[in-house]
mmCIF file of all heavy atoms in Angstrom:
data_model
loop_
_atom_site.group_PDB
_atom_site.id
_atom_site.type_symbol
_atom_site.label_atom_id
_atom_site.label_comp_id
_atom_site.label_asym_id
_atom_site.label_seq_id
_atom_site.Cartn_x
_atom_site.Cartn_y
_atom_site.Cartn_z
ATOM 1 N N SER A 15 88.184 143.084 209.494
ATOM 2 C CA SER A 15 87.098 143.643 208.690
ATOM 3 C C SER A 15 87.554 143.908 207.261
ATOM 4 O O SER A 15 86.804 143.674 206.300
ATOM 5 C CB SER A 15 86.579 144.938 209.326
ATOM 6 O OG SER A 15 86.096 144.704 210.633
ATOM 7 N N ALA A 16 88.777 144.412 207.106
ATOM 8 C CA ALA A 16 89.310 144.660 205.771
ATOM 9 C C ALA A 16 89.447 143.354 204.993
ATOM 10 O O ALA A 16 89.171 143.303 203.784
ATOM 11 C CB ALA A 16 90.659 145.367 205.872
ATOM 12 N N GLU A 17 89.875 142.291 205.676
ATOM 13 C CA GLU A 17 89.995 140.993 205.007
ATOM 14 C C GLU A 17 88.630 140.526 204.485
ATOM 15 O O GLU A 17 88.501 140.052 203.348
ATOM 16 C CB GLU A 17 90.564 139.947 205.964
ATOM 17 C CG GLU A 17 90.704 138.573 205.322
ATOM 18 C CD GLU A 17 90.928 137.459 206.332
ATOM 19 O OE1 GLU A 17 90.835 137.717 207.540
ATOM 20 O OE2 GLU A 17 91.169 136.316 205.890
ATOM 21 N N ALA A 18 87.583 140.661 205.323
ATOM 22 C CA ALA A 18 86.253 140.246 204.896
ATOM 23 C C ALA A 18 85.779 141.085 203.699
ATOM 24 O O ALA A 18 85.188 140.550 202.745
ATOM 25 C CB ALA A 18 85.274 140.387 206.060
ATOM 26 N N TYR A 19 86.054 142.388 203.754
ATOM 27 C CA TYR A 19 85.651 143.277 202.649
ATOM 28 C C TYR A 19 86.371 142.896 201.351
ATOM 29 O O TYR A 19 85.752 142.774 200.290
ATOM 30 C CB TYR A 19 85.958 144.724 203.028
ATOM 31 C CG TYR A 19 85.752 145.702 201.900
ATOM 32 C CD1 TYR A 19 84.496 146.241 201.650
ATOM 33 C CD2 TYR A 19 86.821 146.080 201.087
ATOM 34 C CE1 TYR A 19 84.302 147.145 200.597
ATOM 35 C CE2 TYR A 19 86.638 146.974 200.037
ATOM 36 C CZ TYR A 19 85.376 147.502 199.789
ATOM 37 O OH TYR A 19 85.195 148.381 198.757
ATOM 38 N N VAL A 20 87.683 142.709 201.426
ATOM 39 C CA VAL A 20 88.471 142.404 200.225
ATOM 40 C C VAL A 20 88.102 141.028 199.679
ATOM 41 O O VAL A 20 88.010 140.827 198.457
ATOM 42 C CB VAL A 20 89.982 142.489 200.546
ATOM 43 C CG1 VAL A 20 90.815 141.959 199.378
ATOM 44 C CG2 VAL A 20 90.370 143.929 200.856
ATOM 45 N N THR A 21 87.875 140.069 200.560
ATOM 46 C CA THR A 21 87.498 138.729 200.111
ATOM 47 C C THR A 21 86.188 138.768 199.329
ATOM 48 O O THR A 21 86.073 138.167 198.245
ATOM 49 C CB THR A 21 87.366 137.788 201.324
ATOM 50 O OG1 THR A 21 88.636 137.681 201.968
ATOM 51 C CG2 THR A 21 86.902 136.406 200.887
ATOM 52 N N ALA A 22 85.196 139.482 199.852
ATOM 53 C CA ALA A 22 83.912 139.586 199.149
ATOM 54 C C ALA A 22 84.073 140.297 197.810
ATOM 55 O O ALA A 22 83.478 139.896 196.797
ATOM 56 C CB ALA A 22 82.909 140.328 200.028
ATOM 57 N N LEU A 23 84.895 141.347 197.800
ATOM 58 C CA LEU A 23 85.125 142.090 196.568
ATOM 59 C C LEU A 23 85.808 141.228 195.514
ATOM 60 O O LEU A 23 85.409 141.207 194.336
ATOM 61 C CB LEU A 23 85.969 143.330 196.881
ATOM 62 C CG LEU A 23 86.316 144.254 195.711
ATOM 63 C CD1 LEU A 23 85.068 144.835 195.080
ATOM 64 C CD2 LEU A 23 87.252 145.379 196.183
ATOM 65 N N LYS A 24 86.822 140.477 195.916
ATOM 66 C CA LYS A 24 87.550 139.632 194.972
ATOM 67 C C LYS A 24 86.687 138.485 194.451
ATOM 68 O O LYS A 24 86.792 138.087 193.286
ATOM 69 C CB LYS A 24 88.831 139.108 195.624
ATOM 70 C CG LYS A 24 89.950 140.127 195.720
ATOM 71 C CD LYS A 24 91.224 139.474 196.195
ATOM 72 C CE LYS A 24 92.421 140.345 195.978
ATOM 73 N NZ LYS A 24 93.684 139.667 196.371
ATOM 74 N N LYS A 25 85.861 137.947 195.319
ATOM 75 C CA LYS A 25 84.955 136.879 194.864
ATOM 76 C C LYS A 25 84.021 137.420 193.784
ATOM 77 O O LYS A 25 83.774 136.748 192.773
ATOM 78 C CB LYS A 25 84.159 136.339 196.049
ATOM 79 C CG LYS A 25 84.944 135.392 196.945
ATOM 80 C CD LYS A 25 84.060 134.848 198.065
ATOM 81 C CE LYS A 25 84.821 133.841 198.921
ATOM 82 N NZ LYS A 25 83.985 133.320 200.037
ATOM 83 N N ARG A 26 83.511 138.612 193.988
ATOM 84 C CA ARG A 26 82.613 139.202 193.002
ATOM 85 C C ARG A 26 83.325 139.475 191.691
ATOM 86 O O ARG A 26 82.733 139.363 190.618
ATOM 87 C CB ARG A 26 82.023 140.496 193.574
ATOM 88 C CG ARG A 26 81.057 141.200 192.628
ATOM 89 C CD ARG A 26 80.248 142.271 193.359
ATOM 90 N NE ARG A 26 81.078 143.270 193.990
ATOM 91 C CZ ARG A 26 81.635 144.305 193.346
ATOM 92 N NH1 ARG A 26 81.455 144.434 192.030
ATOM 93 N NH2 ARG A 26 82.348 145.183 193.995
ATOM 94 N N LEU A 27 84.604 139.821 191.763
ATOM 95 C CA LEU A 27 85.383 140.125 190.554
ATOM 96 C C LEU A 27 86.104 138.898 189.996
ATOM 97 O O LEU A 27 86.831 139.001 189.003
ATOM 98 C CB LEU A 27 86.412 141.215 190.879
ATOM 99 C CG LEU A 27 85.842 142.574 191.303
ATOM 100 C CD1 LEU A 27 86.968 143.503 191.728
ATOM 101 C CD2 LEU A 27 85.018 143.204 190.178
ATOM 102 N N HIS A 28 85.927 137.735 190.661
ATOM 103 C CA HIS A 28 86.553 136.473 190.238
ATOM 104 C C HIS A 28 88.087 136.591 190.206
ATOM 105 O O HIS A 28 88.749 136.168 189.259
ATOM 106 C CB HIS A 28 86.028 136.038 188.858
ATOM 107 C CG HIS A 28 84.532 135.915 188.814
ATOM 108 N ND1 HIS A 28 83.854 134.905 189.466
ATOM 109 C CD2 HIS A 28 83.581 136.691 188.204
ATOM 110 C CE1 HIS A 28 82.544 135.049 189.267
ATOM 111 N NE2 HIS A 28 82.353 136.129 188.508
ATOM 112 N N LEU A 29 88.630 137.193 191.256
ATOM 113 C CA LEU A 29 90.077 137.356 191.394
ATOM 114 C C LEU A 29 90.609 136.368 192.433
ATOM 115 O O LEU A 29 89.876 135.965 193.349
ATOM 116 C CB LEU A 29 90.422 138.778 191.832
ATOM 117 C CG LEU A 29 90.072 139.902 190.859
ATOM 118 C CD1 LEU A 29 90.291 141.259 191.514
ATOM 119 C CD2 LEU A 29 90.903 139.783 189.585
ATOM 120 N N PRO A 30 91.894 135.954 192.315
ATOM 121 C CA PRO A 30 92.488 135.098 193.364
ATOM 122 C C PRO A 30 92.386 135.797 194.716
ATOM 123 O O PRO A 30 92.593 137.011 194.823
ATOM 124 C CB PRO A 30 93.940 134.958 192.914
ATOM 125 C CG PRO A 30 93.935 135.262 191.454
ATOM 126 C CD PRO A 30 92.842 136.271 191.238
ATOM 127 N N LEU A 31 92.068 135.013 195.741
ATOM 128 C CA LEU A 31 91.788 135.619 197.040
ATOM 129 C C LEU A 31 93.027 136.061 197.787
ATOM 130 O O LEU A 31 93.038 137.110 198.422
ATOM 131 C CB LEU A 31 90.984 134.643 197.903
ATOM 132 C CG LEU A 31 89.569 134.340 197.411
ATOM 133 C CD1 LEU A 31 88.869 133.433 198.401
ATOM 134 C CD2 LEU A 31 88.772 135.629 197.237
ATOM 135 N N HIS A 32 94.102 135.263 197.769
ATOM 136 C CA HIS A 32 95.241 135.554 198.640
ATOM 137 C C HIS A 32 96.554 135.398 197.887
ATOM 138 O O HIS A 32 96.663 134.618 196.944
ATOM 139 C CB HIS A 32 95.250 134.625 199.862
ATOM 140 C CG HIS A 32 94.005 134.710 200.670
ATOM 141 N ND1 HIS A 32 93.656 135.829 201.381
ATOM 142 C CD2 HIS A 32 93.005 133.803 200.880
ATOM 143 C CE1 HIS A 32 92.493 135.633 202.000
ATOM 144 N NE2 HIS A 32 92.085 134.408 201.706
ATOM 145 N N LYS A 33 97.530 136.149 198.320
ATOM 146 C CA LYS A 33 98.885 135.986 197.793
ATOM 147 C C LYS A 33 99.577 134.850 198.519
ATOM 148 O O LYS A 33 99.135 134.399 199.579
ATOM 149 C CB LYS A 33 99.688 137.280 197.953
ATOM 150 C CG LYS A 33 100.078 137.629 199.387
ATOM 151 C CD LYS A 33 100.826 138.937 199.429
ATOM 152 C CE LYS A 33 101.275 139.287 200.857
ATOM 153 N NZ LYS A 33 102.341 138.432 201.339
ATOM 154 N N THR A 34 100.698 134.390 197.977
ATOM 155 C CA THR A 34 101.479 133.350 198.633
ATOM 156 C C THR A 34 102.186 133.932 199.847
ATOM 157 O O THR A 34 102.816 134.987 199.758
ATOM 158 C CB THR A 34 102.536 132.777 197.665
ATOM 159 O OG1 THR A 34 101.852 132.283 196.516
ATOM 160 C CG2 THR A 34 103.329 131.660 198.325
ATOM 161 N N PRO A 35 102.061 133.292 201.016
ATOM 162 C CA PRO A 35 102.737 133.824 202.210
ATOM 163 C C PRO A 35 104.239 133.948 201.982
ATOM 164 O O PRO A 35 104.874 133.072 201.392
ATOM 165 C CB PRO A 35 102.423 132.780 203.286
ATOM 166 C CG PRO A 35 101.205 132.073 202.798
ATOM 167 C CD PRO A 35 101.324 132.066 201.302
ATOM 168 N N THR A 36 104.802 135.082 202.434
ATOM 169 C CA THR A 36 106.243 135.306 202.320
ATOM 170 C C THR A 36 106.788 135.818 203.621
ATOM 171 O O THR A 36 106.057 136.309 204.469
ATOM 172 C CB THR A 36 106.560 136.336 201.212
ATOM 173 O OG1 THR A 36 105.907 137.563 201.541
ATOM 174 C CG2 THR A 36 106.088 135.860 199.852
ATOM 175 N N VAL A 37 108.091 135.723 203.764
ATOM 176 C CA VAL A 37 108.774 136.272 204.925
ATOM 177 C C VAL A 37 109.842 137.224 204.422
ATOM 178 O O VAL A 37 110.608 136.877 203.518
ATOM 179 C CB VAL A 37 109.415 135.162 205.785
ATOM 180 C CG1 VAL A 37 110.205 135.779 206.928
ATOM 181 C CG2 VAL A 37 108.348 134.224 206.311
ATOM 182 N N LYS A 38 109.871 138.418 204.945
ATOM 183 C CA LYS A 38 110.855 139.424 204.529
ATOM 184 C C LYS A 38 112.260 138.944 204.857
ATOM 185 O O LYS A 38 112.519 138.445 205.925
ATOM 186 C CB LYS A 38 110.578 140.763 205.219
ATOM 187 C CG LYS A 38 111.585 141.846 204.853
ATOM 188 C CD LYS A 38 111.221 143.141 205.535
ATOM 189 C CE LYS A 38 112.291 144.204 205.284
ATOM 190 N NZ LYS A 38 112.397 144.591 203.903
ATOM 191 N N GLN A 39 113.168 139.123 203.878
ATOM 192 C CA GLN A 39 114.561 138.763 204.087
ATOM 193 C C GLN A 39 115.386 140.022 204.295
ATOM 194 O O GLN A 39 115.049 141.087 203.802
ATOM 195 C CB GLN A 39 115.089 137.985 202.879
ATOM 196 C CG GLN A 39 114.311 136.701 202.591
ATOM 197 C CD GLN A 39 114.439 135.700 203.721
ATOM 198 O OE1 GLN A 39 115.521 135.546 204.293
ATOM 199 N NE2 GLN A 39 113.353 135.029 204.038
ATOM 200 N N GLY A 40 116.506 139.890 204.994
ATOM 201 C CA GLY A 40 117.402 141.017 205.167
ATOM 202 C C GLY A 40 117.069 141.847 206.389
ATOM 203 O O GLY A 40 116.154 141.535 207.137
ATOM 204 N N PRO A 41 117.818 142.940 206.609
ATOM 205 C CA PRO A 41 117.652 143.729 207.831
ATOM 206 C C PRO A 41 116.377 144.527 207.817
ATOM 207 O O PRO A 41 115.886 144.940 206.776
ATOM 208 C CB PRO A 41 118.874 144.658 207.795
ATOM 209 C CG PRO A 41 119.182 144.802 206.337
ATOM 210 C CD PRO A 41 118.855 143.471 205.720
ATOM 211 N N THR A 42 115.797 144.750 208.988
ATOM 212 C CA THR A 42 114.661 145.645 209.120
ATOM 213 C C THR A 42 115.185 147.062 209.136
ATOM 214 O O THR A 42 116.377 147.317 209.246
ATOM 215 C CB THR A 42 113.894 145.358 210.419
ATOM 216 O OG1 THR A 42 114.760 145.619 211.525
ATOM 217 C CG2 THR A 42 113.407 143.923 210.465
ATOM 218 N N SER A 43 114.257 148.027 209.039
ATOM 219 C CA SER A 43 114.683 149.425 208.995
ATOM 220 C C SER A 43 115.124 149.935 210.356
ATOM 221 O O SER A 43 115.761 150.963 210.451
ATOM 222 C CB SER A 43 113.529 150.292 208.467
ATOM 223 O OG SER A 43 112.429 150.223 209.341
ATOM 224 N N LYS A 44 114.763 149.210 211.419
ATOM 225 C CA LYS A 44 115.176 149.610 212.754
ATOM 226 C C LYS A 44 115.940 148.473 213.399
ATOM 227 O O LYS A 44 115.496 147.331 213.417
ATOM 228 C CB LYS A 44 113.965 149.967 213.620
ATOM 229 C CG LYS A 44 113.252 151.234 213.156
ATOM 230 C CD LYS A 44 114.110 152.449 213.362
ATOM 231 C CE LYS A 44 113.413 153.709 212.896
ATOM 232 N NZ LYS A 44 114.260 154.881 212.966
ATOM 233 N N LEU A 45 117.088 148.772 213.922
ATOM 234 C CA LEU A 45 117.927 147.760 214.534
ATOM 235 C C LEU A 45 117.915 147.900 216.038
ATOM 236 O O LEU A 45 117.636 148.970 216.561
ATOM 237 C CB LEU A 45 119.362 147.909 214.018
ATOM 238 C CG LEU A 45 119.532 147.704 212.511
ATOM 239 C CD1 LEU A 45 120.890 148.218 212.086
ATOM 240 C CD2 LEU A 45 119.363 146.243 212.150
ATOM 241 N N PRO A 46 118.227 146.835 216.773
ATOM 242 C CA PRO A 46 118.349 146.960 218.222
ATOM 243 C C PRO A 46 119.443 147.968 218.561
ATOM 244 O O PRO A 46 120.314 148.252 217.751
ATOM 245 C CB PRO A 46 118.726 145.553 218.680
ATOM 246 C CG PRO A 46 118.340 144.660 217.559
ATOM 247 C CD PRO A 46 118.486 145.472 216.308
ATOM 248 N N THR A 47 119.403 148.474 219.751
ATOM 249 C CA THR A 47 120.353 149.499 220.140
ATOM 250 C C THR A 47 121.288 149.022 221.229
ATOM 251 O O THR A 47 120.913 148.262 222.118
ATOM 252 C CB THR A 47 119.611 150.741 220.646
ATOM 253 O OG1 THR A 47 118.749 150.345 221.708
ATOM 254 C CG2 THR A 47 118.778 151.366 219.541
ATOM 255 N N ALA A 48 122.537 149.485 221.134
ATOM 256 C CA ALA A 48 123.490 149.181 222.197
ATOM 257 C C ALA A 48 123.110 149.977 223.437
ATOM 258 O O ALA A 48 122.456 151.001 223.373
ATOM 259 C CB ALA A 48 124.909 149.554 221.745
ATOM 260 N N SER A 49 123.536 149.514 224.572
ATOM 261 C CA SER A 49 123.163 150.157 225.840
ATOM 262 C C SER A 49 123.731 151.561 225.910
ATOM 263 O O SER A 49 124.829 151.836 225.451
ATOM 264 C CB SER A 49 123.717 149.331 226.998
ATOM 265 O OG SER A 49 123.563 150.027 228.209
ATOM 266 N N THR A 50 122.930 152.476 226.491
ATOM 267 C CA THR A 50 123.427 153.829 226.710
ATOM 268 C C THR A 50 123.978 154.007 228.114
ATOM 269 O O THR A 50 124.386 155.078 228.493
ATOM 270 C CB THR A 50 122.291 154.858 226.496
ATOM 271 O OG1 THR A 50 121.226 154.556 227.403
ATOM 272 C CG2 THR A 50 121.777 154.818 225.075
ATOM 273 N N SER A 51 123.985 152.949 228.909
ATOM 274 C CA SER A 51 124.545 153.038 230.249
ATOM 275 C C SER A 51 126.060 152.951 230.183
ATOM 276 O O SER A 51 126.640 152.659 229.148
ATOM 277 C CB SER A 51 123.987 151.911 231.124
ATOM 278 O OG SER A 51 124.326 150.661 230.576
ATOM 279 N N GLN A 52 126.712 153.194 231.308
ATOM 280 C CA GLN A 52 128.171 153.195 231.330
ATOM 281 C C GLN A 52 128.702 151.830 230.914
ATOM 282 O O GLN A 52 128.208 150.791 231.321
ATOM 283 C CB GLN A 52 128.683 153.550 232.722
ATOM 284 C CG GLN A 52 130.192 153.754 232.749
ATOM 285 C CD GLN A 52 130.644 154.332 234.057
ATOM 286 O OE1 GLN A 52 129.873 154.542 234.953
ATOM 287 N NE2 GLN A 52 131.946 154.594 234.162
ATOM 288 N N HIS A 53 129.729 151.856 230.081
ATOM 289 C CA HIS A 53 130.278 150.625 229.516
ATOM 290 C C HIS A 53 130.895 149.749 230.604
ATOM 291 O O HIS A 53 131.646 150.210 231.442
ATOM 292 C CB HIS A 53 131.339 150.982 228.480
ATOM 293 C CG HIS A 53 131.996 149.795 227.859
ATOM 294 N ND1 HIS A 53 131.288 148.706 227.426
ATOM 295 C CD2 HIS A 53 133.301 149.542 227.610
ATOM 296 C CE1 HIS A 53 132.146 147.818 226.911
ATOM 297 N NE2 HIS A 53 133.354 148.307 227.018
ATOM 298 N N THR A 54 130.518 148.459 230.576
ATOM 299 C CA THR A 54 131.037 147.529 231.584
ATOM 300 C C THR A 54 131.762 146.340 230.972
ATOM 301 O O THR A 54 132.054 145.387 231.665
ATOM 302 C CB THR A 54 129.895 146.998 232.466
ATOM 303 O OG1 THR A 54 128.889 146.380 231.635
ATOM 304 C CG2 THR A 54 129.251 148.128 233.254
ATOM 305 N N GLY A 55 132.055 146.367 229.685
ATOM 306 C CA GLY A 55 132.846 145.284 229.122
ATOM 307 C C GLY A 55 132.441 144.851 227.744
ATOM 308 O O GLY A 55 133.280 144.583 226.900
ATOM 309 N N LYS A 56 131.135 144.797 227.448
ATOM 310 C CA LYS A 56 130.673 144.355 226.148
ATOM 311 C C LYS A 56 129.641 145.341 225.604
ATOM 312 O O LYS A 56 128.605 145.572 226.211
ATOM 313 C CB LYS A 56 130.029 142.963 226.246
ATOM 314 C CG LYS A 56 131.023 141.837 226.510
ATOM 315 C CD LYS A 56 131.894 141.557 225.285
ATOM 316 C CE LYS A 56 132.811 140.367 225.496
ATOM 317 N NZ LYS A 56 133.679 140.116 224.349
#
């Protein structure tokens, strides 16, 4: 719904509709976690 709203708004204002698709580089703010169970080797 937000996409439809913004698209209509931008068309009325004669603005470019979409940004160039990108992919985030580098680490995310949350990393996987090591096991909390008893250590068995790795």
Side-chain angles (χ1 to χ4, degrees):
S15 300
E17 180 195 8
Y19 173 85
V20 171
T21 298
L23 180 61
K24 284 188 166 183
K25 282 183 177 179
R26 180 166 58 80
L27 297 174
H28 304 290
L29 296 172
L31 293 183
H32 302 293
K33 71 182 182 71
T34 303
T36 59
V37 176
K38 179 178 175 65
Q39 301 296 320
T42 63
S43 63
K44 292 293 180 185
L45 298 166
T47 56
S49 171
T50 59
S51 60
Q52 188 170 2
H53 178 45
T54 56
K56 289 289 184 182

